[in-house]
């Protein structure tokens, strides 16, 4: 393991110095007059929080631009899959991050978001994130903790990239980004992606309606205010778009709403790759045994349903990749599934359910030079964010995406 990490460190240094993006940290002359986009993720910030809480800096962005009734996540409504969908315009079944933790039967290996070696291995990822699109087209980009940004996907890292460290204070994150935006025009990133985890952590520990979530939301609101004030003091202030998103919402959980999979079926020969509001099962014994397990689960469980991968509802867009597993269990809102050994002992919160569950809907706000002020748009799928970011930056989006060029931009321009 130590040798692997040393090799990875050498690889990162090589990438940072030689790929460090296709731009080598210098904007092409044609890109220097383009706008600036600051994409900010507030993990776990469900749409309802924006209506329920008094958050003056989110309100500043809302008044200056538009916000959505709710942005609809992709399935499963979990952190890594949806952060990568937002920046690629692909559903998880197409970009490869089908869960926060998953097993790839073709590689005979697993990926988990807590494994820094896997996270930084570009071979796990498909699609082209917006920072790679920018760098390939001569535009300098930066990413501060955005999931997937530590891997040289498509042969390029962002020119500015920070490896995730949850201990870094929010003020330090904001000040680093402001320093990037204060660089000379030739080196200044036109795209910056940022990430804050406070609200998600409070929601998991305490549930979405707890006062701790309100406090966490106020903390990130203060960080947003620091960023807004800092940008307002820069010469580029009139050329900056702020795009505020979340990866998913949050719903209440409790021990009484938990199902232990190993009390429902014989789990011998079953790899449980991920669990919670949904579970991904890789089954030895082929489709015959997979059907037996599916039927056994469905006979015994009242608040969810098991499917063969090919049977999953079409609106989930979750069947194309073998990483998804042979059997997928989709739980009803609030209910979770796992093993008896990992049964929760306290109430809390989680996410991962069907994107149609309103509590899973995330925030979306945008303000900037061409955005109507104080308007609202209906809910839309988060696959539409990537082509919209490309539109704002004057970039040509990657081909073969699930999102639609011009759709979100048109929705915003027609907002009432």
């Amino acid at each position: 393991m130590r040798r692997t990490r040393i090799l990875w460190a050498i690889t990162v240094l090589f990438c940072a110095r030689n790929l460090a993006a296709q731009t080598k940290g210098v904007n092409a002359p044609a890109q220097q007059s383009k706008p600036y986009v600051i994409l900010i993720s507030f993990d776990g910030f469900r749409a309802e929080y924006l209506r329920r809480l008094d958050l003056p800096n989110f309100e500043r962005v809302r008044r200056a631009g538009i916000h959505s009734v709710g942005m609809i996540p992709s399935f499963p409504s979990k952190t890594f899959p949806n952060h990568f969908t937002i920046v690629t315009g692909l559903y998880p079944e197409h970009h490869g991050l089908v869960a926060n933790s998953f097993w790839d039967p073709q590689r005979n290996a697993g990926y988990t978001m807590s494994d820094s070696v896997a996270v930084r291995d570009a071979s796990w990822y498909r699609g082209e994130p917006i920072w790679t699109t920018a760098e390939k087209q001569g535009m300098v980009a930066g990413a501060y903790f955005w999931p997937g940004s530590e891997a040289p996907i498509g042969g390029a890292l962002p020119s500015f990239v920070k490896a995730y460290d949850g201990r870094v204070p929010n003020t330090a994150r904001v000040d680093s980004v402001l320093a990037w935006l204060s660089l000379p025009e030739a080196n200044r990133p036109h795209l910056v992606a940022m990430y804050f985890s406070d609200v998600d952590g409070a929601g998991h520990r305490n549930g979405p309606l707890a006062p701790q979530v309100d406090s966490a939301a106020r903390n990130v609101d203060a960080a947003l205010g620091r960023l807004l004030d800092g940008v307002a003091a820069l010469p580029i202030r009139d050329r900056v778009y702020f795009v505020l998103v979340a990866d998913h919402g949050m719903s209440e959980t409790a021990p009484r709403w938990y199902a232990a999979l190993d009390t429902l079926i014989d789990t011998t020969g079953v790899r449980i790759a991920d669990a919670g509001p949904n579970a991904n099962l890789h089954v030895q014994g082929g489709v015959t045994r997979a059907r037996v397990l599916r039927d056994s689960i469905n006979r015994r469980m009242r608040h969810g349903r098991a499917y063969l991968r090919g049977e999953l509802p079409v609106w989930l867009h979750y069947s194309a990749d073998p990483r998804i597993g042979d059997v997928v269990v989709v739980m009803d809102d609030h209910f979770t599934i796992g093993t008896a050994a990992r049964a929760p002992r306290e109430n809390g919160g989680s996410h991962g359910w069907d994107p149609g569950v309103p509590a899973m809907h995330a925030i979306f706000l945008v303000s900037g030079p061409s955005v109507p002020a104080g308007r609202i748009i209906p809910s839309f799928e988060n696959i539409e964010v990537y082509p919209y970011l490309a539109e704002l930056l004057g970039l040509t989006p990657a081909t073969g995406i699930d999102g639609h060029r011009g759709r979100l931009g048109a929705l915003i321009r027609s907002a009432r």
Side-chain angles (χ1 to χ4, degrees):
M1 179 60 75
R2 183 172 181 273
R3 180 174 179 274
T4 300
R5 293 184 184 278
I6 291 171
L7 289 173
W8 153 233
I10 294 170
T11 300
V12 168
L13 285 173
F14 175 81
C15 290
R17 292 174 181 172
N18 297 283
L19 297 173
Q22 308 269 328
T23 62
K24 295 182 170 32
V26 179
N27 285 298
Q31 302 294 6
Q32 293 185 23
S33 62
K34 298 281 186 71
Y36 296 85
V37 171
I38 305 175
L39 172 67
I40 314 168
S41 169
F42 301 92
D43 195 330
F45 202 120
R46 82 182 196 183
E48 179 267 338
Y49 296 165
L50 206 60
R51 298 187 285 272
R52 175 164 61 87
L53 303 176
D54 180 17
L55 302 170
N57 295 300
F58 281 90
E59 180 64 13
R60 286 167 66 182
V61 177
R62 191 197 66 77
R63 287 199 309 268
I66 70 98
H67 73 282
S68 172
V69 172
M71 187 168 69
I72 303 168
S74 298
F75 185 81
S77 48
K78 294 184 179 180
T79 298
F80 266 50
N82 279 278
H83 274 96
F84 210 57
T85 288
I86 288 167
V87 295
T88 62
L90 294 170
Y91 291 116
E93 68 172 355
H94 293 145
H95 64 54
L97 297 189
V98 300
N100 287 335
S101 299
F102 58 85
W103 178 257
D104 187 328
Q106 296 172 335
R107 295 171 65 125
N108 195 34
Y111 175 105
T112 182
M113 65 180 188
S114 61
D115 180 353
S116 60
V117 173
V119 163
R120 295 165 183 169
D121 180 352
S123 68
W124 283 106
Y125 304 85
R126 298 191 292 269
E128 182 177 282
I130 187 65
W131 53 79
T132 300
T133 301
E135 294 282 351
K136 284 184 173 180
Q137 295 178 38
M139 177 181 284
V140 174
Y144 204 116
F145 294 172
W146 195 281
S149 63
E150 297 174 47
I153 301 167
L157 287 164
S159 292
F160 300 88
V161 62
K162 292 283 189 178
Y164 183 71
D165 182 352
R167 299 168 297 181
V168 176
N170 290 343
T171 53
R173 304 180 195 195
V174 170
D175 292 347
S176 289
V177 166
L178 291 172
W180 295 351
L181 295 171
S182 301
L183 290 169
E185 184 177 52
N187 309 108
R188 190 184 303 143
H190 281 257
L191 167 72
V192 175
M194 302 180 67
Y195 172 81
F196 298 98
S197 61
D198 308 47
V199 175
D200 183 69
H204 277 295
R205 290 187 298 270
N206 306 286
L209 303 180
Q212 292 90 338
V213 170
D214 301 3
S215 297
R218 286 191 288 269
N219 288 342
V220 296
D221 183 74
L224 175 61
R226 187 182 185 94
L227 179 66
L228 295 174
D229 292 343
V231 170
L234 297 176
I236 62 170
R237 58 185 171 272
D238 294 328
R239 299 166 58 196
V240 178
Y241 288 90
F242 293 93
V243 181
L244 279 50
V245 300
D247 46 354
H248 51 70
M250 187 72 65
S251 197
E252 300 92 337
T253 60
R256 67 184 182 278
W257 298 329
Y258 184 80
L261 191 63
D262 42 353
T263 67
L264 303 176
I265 58 171
D266 178 2
T267 57
T268 304
V270 176
R271 182 185 295 273
I272 305 172
D274 200 22
N278 67 289
N280 304 73
L281 312 181
H282 294 265
V283 180
Q284 292 180 7
V287 68
T288 300
R289 181 154 189 250
R291 287 196 184 102
V292 169
L293 295 179
R294 174 203 61 188
D295 294 343
S296 296
I297 294 168
N298 288 338
R299 279 196 302 270
R300 294 172 170 83
M301 190 169 64
R302 295 172 53 196
H303 297 288
R305 185 165 182 81
Y307 301 87
L308 300 183
R309 175 159 55 93
E311 300 172 334
L312 282 156
V314 65
W315 66 82
L316 296 181
H317 301 280
Y318 200 61
S319 62
D321 195 331
R323 294 174 177 180
I324 292 167
D326 304 301
V327 175
V328 179
V329 184
V330 182
M331 302 300 287
D332 296 343
D333 189 19
H334 303 301
F335 291 86
T336 57
I337 192 166
T339 60
R342 299 182 66 86
R345 298 181 179 180
E346 297 179 347
N347 295 352
S350 195
H351 49 84
W353 288 279
D354 186 324
V357 173
M360 293 300 98
H361 292 185
I363 58 166
F364 176 87
L365 304 90
V366 59
S367 67
S370 65
V371 179
R375 310 270 181 92
I376 188 168
I377 60 173
S379 300
F380 65 93
E381 290 186 89
N382 63 359
I383 55 169
E384 308 299 351
V385 175
Y386 167 83
Y388 179 62
L389 296 174
E391 178 183 321
L392 291 178
L393 292 165
L395 299 171
T396 302
T399 59
I401 62 173
D402 295 311
H404 304 83
R405 293 180 66 169
R407 177 174 291 185
L408 180 54
L411 189 63
I412 288 169
R413 288 188 291 274
S414 64
R416 296 179 178 274

PDB file of all heavy atoms in Angstrom, residues 49 191 319:
ATOM      1  N   TYR A  49     -34.726  23.815   2.346  1.00  0.00           N
ATOM      2  CA  TYR A  49     -33.993  24.656   3.304  1.00  0.00           C
ATOM      3  C   TYR A  49     -34.011  26.114   2.862  1.00  0.00           C
ATOM      4  O   TYR A  49     -34.073  27.033   3.689  1.00  0.00           O
ATOM      5  CB  TYR A  49     -32.537  24.219   3.420  1.00  0.00           C
ATOM      6  CG  TYR A  49     -32.278  22.837   3.971  1.00  0.00           C
ATOM      7  CD1 TYR A  49     -31.026  22.244   3.815  1.00  0.00           C
ATOM      8  CD2 TYR A  49     -33.249  22.123   4.652  1.00  0.00           C
ATOM      9  CE1 TYR A  49     -30.754  20.974   4.314  1.00  0.00           C
ATOM     10  CE2 TYR A  49     -33.001  20.862   5.154  1.00  0.00           C
ATOM     11  CZ  TYR A  49     -31.748  20.287   4.974  1.00  0.00           C
ATOM     12  OH  TYR A  49     -31.485  19.037   5.476  1.00  0.00           O
ATOM     13  N   LEU A 191     -13.027  29.268 -14.736  1.00  0.00           N
ATOM     14  CA  LEU A 191     -13.941  28.336 -14.072  1.00  0.00           C
ATOM     15  C   LEU A 191     -13.338  27.940 -12.736  1.00  0.00           C
ATOM     16  O   LEU A 191     -12.172  27.524 -12.675  1.00  0.00           O
ATOM     17  CB  LEU A 191     -14.152  27.077 -14.910  1.00  0.00           C
ATOM     18  CG  LEU A 191     -14.835  25.911 -14.172  1.00  0.00           C
ATOM     19  CD1 LEU A 191     -16.311  26.219 -13.934  1.00  0.00           C
ATOM     20  CD2 LEU A 191     -14.671  24.605 -14.928  1.00  0.00           C
ATOM     21  N   SER A 319     -29.219   1.214 -15.504  1.00  0.00           N
ATOM     22  CA  SER A 319     -29.136  -0.194 -15.883  1.00  0.00           C
ATOM     23  C   SER A 319     -27.978  -0.517 -16.808  1.00  0.00           C
ATOM     24  O   SER A 319     -27.675  -1.687 -17.018  1.00  0.00           O
ATOM     25  CB  SER A 319     -30.445  -0.628 -16.559  1.00  0.00           C
ATOM     26  OG  SER A 319     -30.658   0.120 -17.746  1.00  0.00           O
TER      27      SER A 319
END
